[in-house]
Amino acid sequence: MSPLPSEWRPEAAAIEAVVMVATEPVSSQLLSELLEVSVERIEELCAVMSQAYEEEERGFELAHIAGGYRFQSHPAYHGYVERFILDEVPSRLSPAALETLAIVAYKQPISRAQIAQIRGVNADGVIRLLTQRGYVEMVGRDEGPGQAILFGTSQTFLERLGLESIGNLPPLETFVPDVSTVELLEQALRPGPEV
Amino acid sequence: MSPLPSEWRPEAAAIEAVVMVATEPVSSQLLSELLEVSVERIEELCAVMSQAYEEEERGFELAHIAGGYRFQSHPAYHGYVERFILDEVPSRLSPAALETLAIVAYKQPISRAQIAQIRGVNADGVIRLLTQRGYVEMVGRDEGPGQAILFGTSQTFLERLGLESIGNLPPLETFVPDVSTVELLEQALRPGPEV
Amino acid sequence: MAFAVHLDVYDGPFNLLLQLISVEEVDVYQVSLSKIVDAFLAELKKLEQLDLELATEFLLIAATLVELKCRRLLPGNDDLEIDDDLSLFEARDYLLARLVECKTFSEAANELAGLESMAARSAARRSGPDERFDSVAPDLLAKISPQILCEVARRVLADRPIPVVATGHIHEDEITVAETLDLLVGILPSKGRATLRELCLGDLSKVRFVATFLAVLELYKREMVEFEQAENFSELVIIWTAELRDHLLVDVDNYDDSAALGAR
C-alpha cells in the first residue's frame, strides 16, 4: 500500500509523466518550474514516490542521480535486463546505422530531416540507437523554423575510433581505399546478427 | 488500490524492469522467453498491470503498440511532457499524403502504379515523402514483369498512430459512403437528355 | 477561403454549384466552364501567393464538372449501338466506382489523422539502458576504423545518379510531323481533295493519325488547304488550295522535342 497521500496524486503523476519520457535526469529545479511548485515540494514528492515504488516492489525505481531524477530498472531485476540487452541489443552496427554514423561524422551538425534526405528513408530508429549508445549526441538546434535538433558525434565516438578530433577523419575527397580496408568494409557490411 | 494479485508482483516487476530499459516496444514473445512463462501469461499480466496504472492514476501507461509493450506518458499530462520529447513533433501530413497513406495502409502490399490508379494522379512525390518520414517502406517486389516495388506501412507508422497492429485499423467498409451519397453520385453521372 | 462564381444561371460558392448540378437544380449545359476558369485565374492573381488547398479543391471540382459535362454531351441512346450503350453504362459504373473509392479513402485518411493526433498526446520512453549496463552492451564500433567510416561516407554522400527510366526497349515509330507534311505536299496537289482517312495511307495507327492530323492543321495554318465537313462527326475533307509549293517546309514544329511521336 502506497504511503503517498491521494491528494498528492496529480502532482506525482505529472512528475511520473515527465521523468518517464526524459532521456537525461530531470532536475528538481526544472520540475519545480514545470509544476509551478517549490523545489522543496518537488523533493518531498519524489522522496515519497521513490519510497512508495520500493514498498510496492516495483521493477523500477526513481533514482536521484547527477542532480536530477530518473526512472531506472531496480537492481533486483538486473538479471532480466542483462539478458534482454544481450538478446536484443545487436553486437554490431547494421549497414543502415553505419551509413547514418558516417553521414553524421562528416556532415555534422546535421538534422534528422537532412539525414533522411541523404539516405532516402527515415532514420529515426537508427539515430535513436546511435544516441543511446553515446556515439552521437544532440549538439544544438537549427535556427530555422521548427528548431530541428542538430546531431554530431560524441567524445565516446572519437575515443572508440582512436581519433584526437573529428578533423582527423580521413578527408572525403582524396581517400582511395586500399585492399585491406575494402576487405574490412565488406566484413563490416556483411549481413549478420545486427540491428 | 491495484487489482494486481500480490503473488503476481515478481513477474510484473520483471516486466516493468525490462520494458523500462527498452527503446522499442517489447514483444510478448520476447518477454515470455525472458521470464520463462507462456505468451498468454505475459499478455494477461500486461493487461492487468496496464489497468492498474490507469486506476492508480499514474502519469505513465503501459501501452500495447506495434506488436509490443512500451511505457509512455499518459495523454492527460501531455502539456508537461511536450518539451521533453527528444523526437521532434513531425509536421502534419497534407490531405494528399494522408490519402495515399490510407491507400497503402489498407491495400498493402501495393505498387506505385496501383496507388496512382486509385488516386487518379501520379503519387511518386507523396510516396517519397512518406518513405522519408518513415510511415511507409518497401516491403517486397511484384512477381510480375517489371518487378515493381511494393510498399507497406512500417513499424513507425504503427507507433505514430498508436496501433497494436495493422489489423486494429477500423475495417475499410466503415468508410464507404452511405447509400444516399452513392445515389447522389450515381445521379450526377447519369446521361442527361440528348443533345 | 471559398471561391465564388457569378454566372447567369448561378451565383454563389463554387463547391455548391457541383452539388446543385448533381441534384439537377442547375443545368450543366448552361454552365460556362471557361468563364469559371477565367474567374478563378483572376481570383488567384489577386492572392499574394498560391493557396494550394484552394487550387486543389478548384481543380477537383472543375475536373468533375468537365467529366459531368462530357457525360451529358454524349449522344443520346437513339444514336447508339447496343454495344456502345453497354460501354457507356460500363464507363459510368467505372466512374462511379472510382468516385466511391476516392471518397472511401479520403474518409479513411481522416481517421488516420485522428488516430495520429490522439497518439501524439503520449510520448514513448526511449532512454534505454543506463550506464550501469555499459559493460553488458557490446561496443558496436569495435570493428569500425576511421577508414571504413570514410569509405561509407564517400559512398553515401557521392552524388547519386539521377534515376532515368530506360526506354530503349520501347519501339518508336519514326513518323514525324515534318515528314508527314512533306508526304502530304507530295500527294495533295495532284489529288485536289482527300479525306483524312485517305491521307493516312491505310495506316490507321494512332501515331500516323495524329501526325497526319497535325500536318493538315499545319497546312491550314499556312493557308494551303481548306476543310469541308457535311455535318457534325461526318468525314473531314481536305481541299488543296495553294498555288505555289515552294515557300513551305521550313520551321515545321514537330510538336515533340525529340521529333518522334512514336514514344507517346
Side-chain angles (χ1 to χ4, degrees):
Chain A
M1 180 73 177
S2 152
L4 189 84
S6 66
E7 64 274 22
W8 291 19
R9 220 340 87 206
E11 284 168 340
I15 295 176
E16 283 176 335
V18 169
V19 175
M20 185 59 81
V21 301
T23 46
E24 301 292 331
V26 190
S27 71
S28 36
Q29 179 60 39
L30 204 63
L31 286 169
S32 129
E33 282 163 28
L34 272 175
L35 272 72
E36 295 176 3
V37 299
S38 69
V39 170
E40 293 70 35
R41 175 78 181 132
I42 294 290
E43 281 167 2
E44 183 184 28
L45 275 161
C46 287
V48 175
M49 284 163 70
S50 171
Q51 197 197 329
Y53 295 138
E54 193 65 40
E55 283 170 20
E56 290 157 10
E57 297 176 56
R58 302 260 162 209
F60 53 83
E61 54 186 15
L62 183 65
H64 199 177
I65 277 174
Y69 294 96
R70 80 168 180 209
F71 277 121
Q72 61 183 35
S73 56
H74 193 285
Y77 300 94
H78 271 193
Y80 291 107
V81 173
E82 282 177 12
R83 271 172 58 203
F84 169 73
I85 293 173
L86 287 173
D87 275 15
E88 265 320 90
V89 178
S91 57
R92 59 190 207 176
L93 288 179
S94 66
L98 188 55
E99 275 179 28
T100 305
L101 185 61
I103 293 168
V104 174
Y106 280 93
K107 291 284 175 183
Q108 58 189 310
I110 188 168
S111 70
R112 277 199 180 80
Q114 289 167 322
I115 297 170
Q117 202 173 15
I118 294 173
R119 296 207 44 233
V121 293
N122 174 288
D124 290 2
V126 175
I127 296 169
R128 202 180 302 137
L129 172 93
L130 294 172
T131 319
Q132 188 207 321
R133 297 308 297 273
Y135 304 143
V136 160
E137 59 192 14
M138 174 180 164
V139 294
R141 281 192 180 269
D142 195 14
E143 286 178 5
Q147 307 212 323
I149 295 172
L150 298 176
F151 294 91
T153 49
S154 65
Q155 189 61 33
T156 310
F157 168 85
L158 292 177
E159 283 166 16
R160 295 281 158 82
L161 262 75
L163 290 169
E164 205 169 300
S165 81
I166 200 69
N168 291 97
L169 274 176
L172 273 183
E173 303 78 23
T174 57
F175 179 72
V176 179
D178 58 26
V179 179
S180 67
T181 310
V182 170
E183 255 168 33
L184 276 172
L185 183 70
E186 274 173 3
Q187 234 168 40
L189 294 176
R190 200 169 299 155
E194 63 195 14
V195 182
Chain B
M1 181 70 179
S2 151
L4 189 83
S6 64
E7 64 275 21
W8 291 20
R9 216 346 86 205
E11 285 168 339
I15 295 176
E16 284 175 336
V18 169
V19 175
M20 194 58 82
V21 302
T23 51
E24 306 285 336
V26 189
S27 71
S28 38
Q29 178 62 41
L30 181 61
L31 286 169
S32 131
E33 284 163 26
L34 286 170
L35 272 72
E36 296 177 2
V37 299
S38 70
V39 169
E40 293 71 33
R41 175 78 182 132
I42 295 292
E43 280 166 3
E44 184 184 31
L45 275 160
C46 288
V48 175
M49 286 163 70
S50 163
Q51 198 197 329
Y53 295 138
E54 191 66 40
E55 284 170 18
E56 291 157 10
E57 296 176 57
R58 303 258 163 213
F60 53 81
E61 51 187 20
L62 183 66
H64 198 181
I65 278 172
Y69 295 95
R70 77 174 188 199
F71 277 121
Q72 62 182 34
S73 58
H74 193 286
Y77 300 94
H78 180 59
Y80 293 106
V81 159
E82 261 173 324
R83 55 188 292 192
F84 277 93
I85 308 171
L86 186 62
D87 293 328
E88 285 143 71
V89 183
S91 53
R92 292 195 156 270
L93 291 175
S94 69
L98 276 167
E99 264 178 52
T100 306
L101 188 58
I103 293 169
V104 175
Y106 281 99
K107 296 279 182 182
Q108 58 188 315
I110 187 169
S111 70
R112 276 199 183 82
Q114 289 167 321
I115 295 169
Q117 203 178 12
I118 294 176
R119 294 212 53 231
V121 292
N122 176 300
D124 292 2
V126 178
I127 295 169
R128 196 177 317 123
L129 174 94
L130 291 173
T131 317
Q132 277 185 10
R133 293 280 198 87
Y135 288 96
V136 158
E137 59 191 14
M138 176 181 163
V139 293
R141 281 191 179 270
D142 196 13
E143 286 179 4
Q147 308 208 323
I149 294 174
L150 297 176
F151 294 91
T153 52
S154 65
Q155 180 88 359
T156 306
F157 168 85
L158 294 175
E159 290 186 34
R160 294 264 168 80
L161 269 70
L163 290 170
E164 185 194 330
S165 80
I166 200 73
N168 286 79
L169 278 177
L172 191 58
E173 293 84 75
T174 325
F175 308 112
V176 174
D178 58 26
V179 180
S180 63
T181 312
V182 174
E183 255 171 26
L184 212 66
L185 290 170
E186 200 270 333
Q187 234 169 43
L189 297 177
R190 203 169 293 162
E194 340 43 77
V195 183
Chain C
M1 174 209 147
F3 168 60
V5 285
H6 310 284
L7 302 164
D8 296 341
V9 288
Y10 173 80
D11 197 59
F14 186 42
N15 51 10
L16 190 61
L17 173 63
L18 186 63
Q19 242 170 311
L20 289 174
I21 290 171
S22 307
V23 296
E24 294 180 35
E25 291 283 327
V26 172
D27 187 349
V28 71
Y29 293 135
Q30 307 296 318
V31 175
S32 162
L33 288 172
S34 64
K35 268 190 194 162
I36 294 176
V37 173
D38 287 346
F40 181 74
L41 289 178
E43 195 72 28
L44 271 192
K45 271 189 194 140
K46 280 193 235 155
L47 294 175
E48 299 234 323
Q49 61 186 66
L50 182 63
D51 180 342
L52 210 54
E53 288 283 328
L54 182 68
T56 317
E57 191 197 333
F58 176 81
L59 277 181
L60 183 69
I61 299 177
T64 315
L65 273 178
V66 172
E67 190 98 59
L68 279 177
K69 207 161 174 172
C70 291
R71 295 283 144 201
R72 302 230 172 141
L73 281 170
L74 279 176
N77 291 353
D78 300 351
D79 307 337
L80 292 172
E81 299 292 324
I82 298 277
D83 282 353
D84 293 341
D85 202 13
L86 271 179
S87 73
L88 181 61
F89 274 114
E90 277 167 15
R92 240 177 63 207
D93 283 350
Y94 175 71
L95 199 60
L96 181 63
R98 281 285 312 277
L99 281 174
V100 169
E101 193 171 39
C102 282
K103 198 142 174 45
T104 303
F105 281 112
S106 98
E107 289 297 316
N110 287 339
E111 172 80 11
L112 296 192
L115 286 174
E116 188 182 29
S117 70
M118 235 160 56
R121 299 187 64 80
S122 290
R125 177 173 174 85
R126 303 256 192 227
S127 62
D130 55 69
E131 68 287 338
R132 293 174 298 165
F133 299 98
D134 277 357
S135 59
V136 184
D139 175 11
L140 298 182
L141 297 186
K143 288 180 181 165
I144 310 293
S145 70
Q147 281 70 33
I148 289 177
L149 203 67
C150 178
E151 177 55 18
V152 173
R154 237 169 47 104
R155 232 186 19 191
V156 181
L157 297 173
D159 286 339
R160 300 191 171 186
I162 300 161
V164 180
V165 179
T167 53
H169 57 285
I170 298 174
H171 172 72
E172 279 191 20
D173 288 319
E174 296 294 330
I175 304 172
T176 69
V177 177
E179 281 166 13
T180 312
L181 198 58
D182 210 4
L183 198 71
L184 293 191
V185 173
I187 307 168
L188 264 174
S190 56
K191 284 191 104 145
R193 51 191 294 144
T195 64
L196 192 59
R197 205 181 293 270
E198 285 165 355
L199 292 179
C200 286
L201 307 170
D203 174 6
L204 287 178
S205 69
K206 203 184 277 177
V207 179
R208 165 72 70 180
F209 191 81
V210 171
T212 308
F213 186 67
L214 289 176
V216 165
L217 285 184
E218 192 67 41
L219 289 174
Y220 184 74
K221 196 166 88 186
R222 288 158 195 254
E223 298 181 341
M224 310 189 67
V225 295
E226 289 288 339
F227 297 133
E228 227 180 67
Q229 193 175 27
E231 55 186 293
N232 276 352
F233 305 111
S234 71
E235 200 128 34
L236 189 67
V237 181
I238 295 104
I239 305 150
W240 182 260
T241 55
E243 299 290 315
L244 304 164
R245 55 157 302 184
D246 51 7
H247 67 292
L248 77 164
L249 298 182
V250 286
D251 303 328
V252 176
D253 187 348
N254 269 323
Y255 302 88
D256 188 312
D257 292 336
S258 65
L261 282 159
R264 292 295 155 91

